[in-house]
Amino acid sequence: MSKQGVTPQSENFSDWYNEIVYRADLAARSPVRGCLIIKPYGYEIWEAIHNSLDRRFKETGHQNAYFPLFIPESYLKREAEHVEGFSPELAVVTVAGGKELEEPLVVRPTSETVIGEAFSEWIQSYRDLPLLINQWANVVRWELRTRPFLRTSEFLWQEGHTAHATHEEAEAETLQMLDVYADFAINEAAIPVIKGLKSNIERFAGALRTYTIEGMMRDTRALQSGTSHNLGQNFAKAFDIKYLDEQNEQQYCWTTSWGMSTRMIGAIIMTHGDDQGLRLPPKVAPYQVVAIPIFRKEEEEAPVMEKLMNIVKDLRAAGIRVHVDDRNQSPGFKFNDWEMRGVPVRLEIGPKDVEKGNAVLVRRDVAGRDAKQFVSQDGIVKTVQDLLDDVQASLLADATAFRDANIHDVSSYDEFRQVIDGGGWARGWWAGSDDNERQIKEDTGATLRCIPLEQPGGTGTCFYSDEVAQSVALFAKAY
Amino acid sequence: MSKQGVTPQSENFSDWYNEIVYRADLAARSPVRGCLIIKPYGYEIWEAIHNSLDRRFKETGHQNAYFPLFIPESYLKREAEHVEGFSPELAVVTVAGGKELEEPLVVRPTSETVIGEAFSEWIQSYRDLPLLINQWANVVRWELRTRPFLRTSEFLWQEGHTAHATHEEAEAETLQMLDVYADFAINEAAIPVIKGLKSNIERFAGALRTYTIEGMMRDTRALQSGTSHNLGQNFAKAFDIKYLDEQNEQQYCWTTSWGMSTRMIGAIIMTHGDDQGLRLPPKVAPYQVVAIPIFRKEEEEAPVMEKLMNIVKDLRAAGIRVHVDDRNQSPGFKFNDWEMRGVPVRLEIGPKDVEKGNAVLVRRDVAGRDAKQFVSQDGIVKTVQDLLDDVQASLLADATAFRDANIHDVSSYDEFRQVIDGGGWARGWWAGSDDNERQIKEDTGATLRCIPLEQPGGTGTCFYSDEVAQSVALFAKAY
Ligand SMILES: [Zn+2]
Ligand SMILES: [Zn+2]
């Protein structure tokens, strides 16, 4: 058990995860099955994700809009492949305003259909292209087995939807947004995701190509953390999204969609957490620093608090998010509490520190004695800033080392099975069929996570089918 | 007709409003009755509202959280008065995951009930108080007669919910948030709202006291633009929200709630618009400046665009939101288009301006020749900033003058009826009963908008009942 009574990761990762979500006050259970209450400490992580992505979307020329929560049932039937993917998960409004509705309304599981219909009206000519829209919204997919943040019946996400004149432009957009997701994941969430292409079996219903970023969680399972779809002309044909080209001829548009959700909060928890609880990357942490006053005698309180609050004021003026824990609890209790809740840096000030002009800084990412340092109050803003940068970088380095240590190259199915059974990710040359892929999943529980964009080059022999393969693929057990 | 073919306000305000919402590209009709698509130009106004309010909420110590979209039907029945207010407007999910649900789920019309239940679990002791929570969310109230932004079946809003140890603290919070709304409305949206208390009849179902900000639209109708409720202990008792006080005794909490919605976009349109279309206050305008290159000959394009883009770059670096209209259309077409869409300042650069180091600035708030000025390119950033400040202030002054010219003091019911029939707001001493108030509404269509917080002092004779009155009330026809 951890100091806070949380089941250790090493003992039972799944229990650890479920406990930490509630113990760290990220979320609370709700009265509706499969729906979560996101508490402020969890919601602030979502705000950080929202703000980081929204800035990137706007920098790449996208605008936000808002489309209705409800979708007429008939809409979902227009794109046959698409509806198949969603129908068992739909929540349906049949009564509204005290009356049975003539046509039931589906609570959006995604907005492709209603946005497709809107695009068909908004787009007339090549001058209207590209159309680059994003929506921040809640969506509902009724789930039988739910896990907080990872799989809930309602979740928050953003969904980008764009229309283009050519396949090339749509493909460039799809890859650009994949890069945006990867950039956010790596440089803000400190998750060293791998970018790649989904297989036929794993791609989004109705898409031409689905790209993904895959992260390795601390139990070595893969988590799909964001996807970007080149929808080809499938949705444009289903929803009649056409434009007049420069030669005055009608053409179908090429569309894309891409999304990232509150699932990313789960990815952050599971990438960085340890036996003591959360470890939050400074860039997405609600509190980057927790400041704790240390005193025993009553007369020590005033000078300690005064000094502490002066430093806190300076830190905040520099844009650092600081929480002051002045609860009527022992320092030890507070240390354990904030360690469990993953605050990147702890600042302590005691009577001796006031006297000597010192302070204690403790970093969360490092265990044991090395975590603690005594620093001067002079220049402490810079010291803390540098330490936060260091924690951010070290969490990424740590996750990258963990990832790389658990990806193994395989050249035969025997090797593959050993790697998967041992909890690793298997990387090997792949030329298998859809049926081969399904058989592997049945045999081992592993799925083809992606064909990484970064390839060794050349060709090789497929570890499963022995045929000549053009690329390597990554397989793993996944969430 | 305006230059853009929009029905003039003076001819038919309601047609003007409906046309301008779509013509200015703020919104689009959706396939679901009563639901709106908020297009980027409208959504950016909502983002400005969101950001301005969210900053103020955080500065006053509130934290954001997220609660489920669905509420078990039984929850809504706990607070009897509350459910009465909402039941005819509910949208109900009866089927989910391919099955009939055992208990139907209501799509939230507001989250009081689910948040009340959560608060009852989160609050144990006086140390947990005050609890200051806000949520940004979509809500659904099924409406038979809808109008874009003003009354739609789904809308976006924020709902604040707080719990306190005493009635005094709850009342102080209720009034603080009313002040936040008024501050935003006046200083960002340039709407000179009047703060006041709702009557028994008009207050929120289940509230002890409802405060409101009321704005006067350009047709002189009143629009309730934000409300703040002191819920007393009503919800605390219905949802068992209790705390242990310092004497270790169980007490019911005192709770508040307060909300502002996308209706505020309608308020901005109807407060400032004129016959030519929108007039957007710079602080909430998606584009504060539209930059239009002027040239006839092809060889003029390059130098004009170069100079224009240099100025645009400087303006943007100063944080000014600039849109460059480089469409292949005549300047006249663009002038009319952006005038209709309400951009506060237009910047023109032509070949002579390039030569002489000048630029043309045209302000949207002023009509005719006075709108236009020739300025030097030297120091143009400061010139534009000052002009934007001036437009912001002048829109507020204009709306305030319009409001004050249309509020009339009345001392008899005859005078009252004359004022109301003439389209004004009537202000008079008021000591009437609930039945009197209902009778007035039946006679004249006017409702008691509020008892303003700002009072003349002393007592007077009620214009309706002739009884001694402690305060004056404001009556008007309302949206
Ligand atoms: Zn879809
Ligand atoms: Zn309510």
Side-chain angles (χ1 to χ4, degrees):
Chain A
M1 299 288 272
S2 80
K3 297 170 199 156
Q4 286 292 297
V6 178
T7 302
Q9 278 196 343
S10 38
E11 198 177 284
N12 186 324
F13 192 86
S14 172
D15 285 356
W16 171 87
Y17 179 79
N18 286 325
E19 289 171 30
I20 210 69
V21 162
Y22 300 112
R23 294 291 298 275
D25 222 22
L26 297 170
R29 288 174 185 87
S30 95
V32 178
R33 220 184 47 69
C35 293
L36 202 62
I37 296 173
I38 307 180
K39 294 189 77 175
Y41 198 60
Y43 196 81
E44 281 172 37
I45 299 175
W46 180 239
E47 289 182 306
I49 296 169
H50 174 286
N51 294 342
S52 299
L53 289 177
D54 200 63
R55 177 169 55 74
R56 287 170 169 81
F57 296 159
K58 285 173 177 158
E59 282 168 3
T60 46
H62 302 82
Q63 289 184 301
N64 289 327
Y66 187 78
F67 295 83
L69 172 68
F70 298 131
I71 300 174
E73 209 176 40
S74 57
Y75 270 54
L76 280 174
K77 295 181 176 153
R78 290 220 206 142
E79 213 289 311
E81 200 180 345
H82 187 59
V83 72
E84 259 176 51
F86 282 110
S87 56
E89 302 178 352
L90 300 178
V92 186
V93 172
T94 59
V95 174
K99 282 188 192 169
E100 188 110 355
L101 292 171
E102 282 181 30
E103 180 178 6
L105 294 171
V106 170
V107 182
R108 63 182 162 216
T110 167
S111 304
E112 249 95 11
T113 56
V114 66
I115 294 181
E117 175 70 16
F119 276 22
S120 77
E121 288 173 32
W122 300 354
I123 297 169
Q124 304 299 331
S125 111
Y126 68 93
R127 288 191 200 87
D128 301 321
L129 298 176
L131 184 57
L132 309 173
I133 296 291
N134 177 62
Q135 168 172 260
W136 291 96
N138 54 343
V139 287
V140 171
R141 300 178 189 174
W142 209 253
E143 299 281 357
L144 290 178
R145 296 179 52 201
T146 62
R147 298 196 69 183
F149 296 121
L150 299 180
R151 186 172 286 105
T152 48
S153 289
E154 182 194 9
F155 57 92
L156 304 181
W157 79 343
Q158 59 68 220
E159 48 182 318
H161 297 271
T162 70
H164 307 264
T166 65
H167 174 263
E168 289 67 33
E169 283 178 41
E171 181 71 6
E173 166 79 6
T174 309
L175 286 168
Q176 171 184 252
M177 301 324 287
L178 187 75
D179 282 341
V180 161
Y181 289 150
D183 179 47
F184 163 76
I186 295 167
N187 294 312
E188 312 266 348
I191 303 175
V193 292
I194 293 172
K195 296 187 283 186
L197 184 67
K198 284 287 182 191
S199 67
N200 290 335
I201 289 176
E202 298 283 334
R203 76 174 152 73
F204 182 57
L208 209 58
R209 274 186 291 284
T210 289
Y211 295 94
T212 177
I213 52 171
E214 300 282 325
M216 184 189 286
M217 305 298 104
R218 282 288 151 158
D219 62 350
T220 70
R221 280 189 190 254
L223 187 76
Q224 176 179 304
S225 306
T227 48
S228 186
H229 314 290
N230 183 335
L231 302 173
Q233 293 182 313
N234 293 339
F235 279 85
K237 285 180 178 162
F239 287 91
D240 209 37
I241 311 174
K242 285 191 283 200
Y243 72 96
L244 270 182
D245 68 14
E246 297 192 48
Q247 285 73 45
N248 226 25
E249 283 178 34
Q250 289 278 3
Q251 304 285 355
Y252 282 108
C253 289
W254 299 80
T255 69
T256 84
S257 75
W258 26 276
M260 188 177 269
S261 74
T262 35
R263 180 170 238 224
M264 179 49 77
I265 300 173
I268 292 167
I269 300 168
M270 292 197 295
T271 298
H272 302 298
D274 66 13
D275 279 354
Q276 304 308 324
L278 292 180
R279 297 194 304 172
L280 293 174
K283 289 195 184 173
V284 298
Y287 308 137
Q288 297 173 311
V289 174
V290 60
I292 298 177
I294 316 278
F295 53 87
R296 294 186 180 202
K297 302 174 198 149
E298 224 187 290
E299 65 269 26
E300 292 169 344
E301 181 172 1
V304 162
M305 280 307 292
E306 194 195 337
K307 177 48 74 184
L308 186 80
M309 291 313 294
N310 274 338
I311 296 173
V312 166
K313 210 182 104 200
D314 291 346
L315 293 173
R316 284 181 178 157
I320 296 171
R321 298 186 288 276
V322 188
H323 177 71
V324 178
D325 187 352
D326 55 3
R327 286 178 293 179
N328 189 19
Q329 299 278 8
S330 73
F333 173 90
K334 294 179 186 180
F335 295 170
N336 291 341
D337 191 33
W338 294 111
E339 184 175 43
M340 185 264 288
R341 297 183 69 187
V343 176
V345 168
R346 182 170 87 225
L347 165 72
E348 307 167 14
I349 297 278
K352 281 199 181 154
D353 300 310
V354 174
E355 230 170 78
K356 296 183 183 168
N358 285 341
V360 175
L361 295 176
V362 183
R363 58 193 291 173
R364 174 62 181 91
D365 60 318
V366 168
R369 291 192 150 208
D370 291 343
K372 194 165 180 170
Q373 53 179 306
F374 299 86
V375 303
S376 167
Q377 288 171 17
D378 292 340
I380 194 165
V381 171
K382 177 77 165 57
T383 311
V384 169
Q385 270 168 335
D386 289 347
L387 185 56
L388 288 170
D389 288 348
D390 207 36
V391 172
Q392 180 81 27
S394 107
L395 284 174
L396 178 61
D398 190 32
T400 306
F402 180 81
R403 179 196 73 181
D404 292 343
N406 284 288
I407 298 180
H408 304 285
D409 289 308
V410 298
S411 53
S412 71
Y413 196 41
D414 274 353
E415 278 179 36
F416 179 96
R417 299 186 74 141
Q418 273 177 23
V419 167
I420 297 297
D421 286 351
W425 290 20
R427 179 174 50 204
W429 289 100
W430 175 250
S433 65
D434 293 355
D435 278 343
N436 293 160
E437 204 181 316
R438 284 188 201 99
Q439 187 63 49
I440 288 174
K441 184 177 181 182
E442 208 184 300
D443 291 351
T444 67
T447 47
L448 200 166
R449 300 318 303 158
C450 70
I451 297 150
L453 296 194
E454 215 177 286
Q455 286 286 330
T459 59
T461 306
C462 174
F463 73 84
Y464 188 88
S465 68
D466 285 332
E467 308 214 12
V468 178
Q470 307 296 322
S471 47
V472 300
L474 261 183
F475 288 78
K477 288 181 183 168
Y479 278 95
Chain B
M1 299 288 272
S2 79
K3 298 170 198 156
Q4 284 292 297
V6 178
T7 302
Q9 278 196 343
S10 37
E11 199 176 285
N12 186 324
F13 193 85
S14 173
D15 285 356
W16 171 86
Y17 179 79
N18 285 327
E19 289 171 29
I20 211 68
V21 163
Y22 301 113
R23 295 290 298 275
D25 221 23
L26 297 170
R29 289 175 184 86
S30 95
V32 178
R33 219 184 48 69
C35 293
L36 202 63
I37 296 173
I38 307 180
K39 294 189 78 175
Y41 198 60
Y43 196 82
E44 280 171 38
I45 298 176
W46 180 240
E47 288 181 308
I49 297 169
H50 174 286
N51 294 342
S52 299
L53 289 177
D54 200 63
R55 178 170 54 75
R56 286 169 170 81
F57 296 159
K58 284 172 177 160
E59 281 168 4
T60 46
H62 301 82
Q63 290 184 300
N64 290 326
Y66 188 78
F67 295 84
L69 172 67
F70 299 131
I71 300 175
E73 210 175 41
S74 57
Y75 270 55
L76 279 173
K77 294 181 177 153
R78 288 218 207 144
E79 213 289 310
E81 199 179 346
H82 187 58
V83 74
E84 259 175 50
F86 282 111
S87 57
E89 302 179 351
L90 301 178
V92 186
V93 172
T94 60
V95 174
K99 282 188 192 167
E100 189 111 355
L101 292 171
E102 281 181 30
E103 182 178 4
L105 295 171
V106 170
V107 183
R108 62 180 164 218
T110 166
S111 304
E112 249 95 11
T113 56
V114 66
I115 293 180
E117 174 71 17
F119 276 22
S120 76
E121 287 174 32
W122 300 355
I123 297 169
Q124 305 298 331
S125 112
Y126 67 94
R127 289 193 199 86
D128 300 321
L129 298 176
L131 184 57
L132 308 173
I133 296 291
N134 177 63
Q135 169 172 259
W136 292 96
N138 54 343
V139 287
V140 171
R141 300 177 190 176
W142 208 253
E143 299 281 357
L144 289 178
R145 295 179 52 201
T146 61
R147 297 196 70 182
F149 296 122
L150 299 180
R151 187 173 285 104
T152 49
S153 289
E154 182 193 10
F155 57 93
L156 303 182
W157 80 343
Q158 59 68 218
E159 48 182 318
H161 297 272
T162 70
H164 307 263
T166 65
H167 173 264
E168 289 66 34
E169 283 178 40
E171 182 70 8
E173 166 79 7
T174 309
L175 287 167
Q176 172 184 249
M177 300 325 287
L178 187 75
D179 282 341
V180 161
Y181 288 150
D183 178 49
F184 163 76
I186 295 167
N187 295 312
E188 312 265 350
I191 302 176
V193 292
I194 293 173
K195 295 187 285 186
L197 184 67
K198 284 286 181 191
S199 67
N200 290 336
I201 289 177
E202 300 283 333
R203 75 174 152 72
F204 182 56
L208 209 58
R209 274 186 293 284
T210 289
Y211 295 94
T212 177
I213 52 172
E214 299 282 324
M216 185 188 288
M217 306 298 104
R218 283 286 151 160
D219 61 350
T220 70
R221 279 189 190 254
L223 187 76
Q224 175 179 304
S225 306
T227 47
S228 186
H229 314 289
N230 183 336
L231 301 173
Q233 294 182 313
N234 293 340
F235 279 84
K237 284 178 180 164
F239 288 91
D240 209 37
I241 310 175
K242 285 191 283 202
Y243 71 97
L244 270 181
D245 69 13
E246 297 193 50
Q247 285 73 45
N248 227 26
E249 283 178 34
Q250 289 278 5
Q251 305 285 356
Y252 282 109
C253 288
W254 299 82
T255 70
T256 84
S257 73
W258 27 276
M260 187 175 272
S261 74
T262 35
R263 179 169 239 223
M264 178 49 77
I265 300 173
I268 291 168
I269 299 168
M270 292 197 296
T271 298
H272 302 299
D274 66 13
D275 279 354
Q276 303 309 324
L278 292 180
R279 296 195 303 171
L280 294 174
K283 289 195 184 173
V284 299
Y287 308 136
Q288 297 173 310
V289 174
V290 59
I292 298 178
I294 316 279
F295 53 87
R296 295 185 179 203
K297 303 173 197 149
E298 222 187 290
E299 64 268 28
E300 292 170 344
E301 181 174 359
V304 163
M305 280 307 292
E306 194 195 336
K307 176 48 73 184
L308 186 81
M309 291 312 293
N310 274 337
I311 295 174
V312 167
K313 209 182 104 198
D314 290 346
L315 293 172
R316 284 181 177 157
I320 297 171
R321 297 186 290 275
V322 188
H323 177 70
V324 178
D325 187 351
D326 55 3
R327 287 179 293 177
N328 189 20
Q329 300 278 7
S330 73
F333 173 89
K334 294 180 186 178
F335 294 171
N336 292 340
D337 191 33
W338 294 111
E339 184 176 43
M340 185 264 289
R341 297 183 69 186
V343 176
V345 168
R346 183 170 86 223
L347 166 72
E348 306 166 17
I349 297 278
K352 281 198 180 154
D353 300 310
V354 174
E355 230 170 76
K356 296 183 182 169
N358 286 342
V360 175
L361 294 178
V362 184
R363 57 192 294 172
R364 173 64 180 90
D365 59 319
V366 168
R369 290 193 152 210
D370 291 343
K372 195 165 178 169
Q373 53 179 307
F374 299 85
V375 302
S376 167
Q377 288 170 18
D378 291 340
I380 194 165
V381 171
K382 176 78 166 56
T383 310
V384 169
Q385 269 168 335
D386 290 347
L387 184 56
L388 288 170
D389 288 348
D390 207 36
V391 173
Q392 180 81 28
S394 107
L395 285 174
L396 179 61
D398 191 33
T400 306
F402 180 80
R403 179 196 72 181
D404 292 344
N406 284 288
I407 298 180
H408 305 284
D409 288 308
V410 298
S411 54
S412 71
Y413 195 40
D414 274 353
E415 277 178 36
F416 179 95
R417 297 184 76 140
Q418 273 176 23
V419 167
I420 297 296
D421 285 350
W425 289 21
R427 180 174 49 205
W429 290 102
W430 174 251
S433 65
D434 293 357
D435 278 344
N436 293 159
E437 203 181 317
R438 285 188 200 100
Q439 187 62 50
I440 290 174
K441 184 177 180 182
E442 209 184 300
D443 291 349
T444 67
T447 47
L448 199 165
R449 300 318 303 157
C450 69
I451 297 151
L453 296 195
E454 215 176 284
Q455 286 286 329
T459 59
T461 306
C462 175
F463 72 86
Y464 188 88
S465 69
D466 286 332
E467 307 214 13
V468 177
Q470 307 297 322
S471 47
V472 300
L474 261 183
F475 288 78
K477 289 181 183 168
Y479 279 95

